[in-house]
Amino acid sequence: MTAGTDFLESATRFLKERFKVANPRYGSVYGIRKSPIGEDWEFDQATAARVFIVRISDAEGSAIEEQSVAHTRWSIEELHRRRSDIYPEGIVLLITGYVGGWIPDGPITLY
């Protein structure tokens, strides 16, 4: 994405085009990550990311899984087991807190 692009609009467009999710239902919690300058050695500039939680139907989940072996559904237990494979750090905490209902609405900083 280029500077000034709206994260939510881009995510909605991506979900529609790539996964055929026409009306995504976003969770009330989302993750924010901004890298410090120098961390991204390739461009030497800060990068920003948003992690949105989208509720989809079982049919939409099955359709996404059929598109590629890289897309799969994990249980909360599986997320915990694979937490070192998931980037950025904090995603597992964000998801488990959302599902468990103990993270407040709004943005959560990810490291």
Side-chain angles (χ1 to χ4, degrees), residues 21-90:
V21 176
N23 296 306
R25 295 172 293 148
Y26 291 98
S28 55
V29 175
Y30 62 97
I32 297 176
R33 181 174 192 283
K34 185 171 182 179
S35 69
I37 291 176
E39 181 178 303
D40 185 343
W41 60 269
E42 186 175 359
F43 301 109
D44 198 26
Q45 62 186 5
T47 57
R50 300 289 183 276
V51 177
F52 297 110
I53 298 171
V54 180
R55 298 179 59 130
I56 60 174
S57 68
D58 284 338
E60 289 169 321
S62 294
I64 290 169
E65 278 186 290
E66 290 174 12
Q67 290 182 23
S68 167
V69 296
H71 297 95
T72 188
R73 287 181 258 191
W74 289 342
S75 66
I76 294 297
E77 294 77 20
E78 186 68 12
L79 281 174
H80 282 290
R81 279 193 295 275
R82 295 178 169 254
R83 69 180 170 269
S84 62
D85 300 328
I86 300 171
Y87 179 83
E89 291 180 46

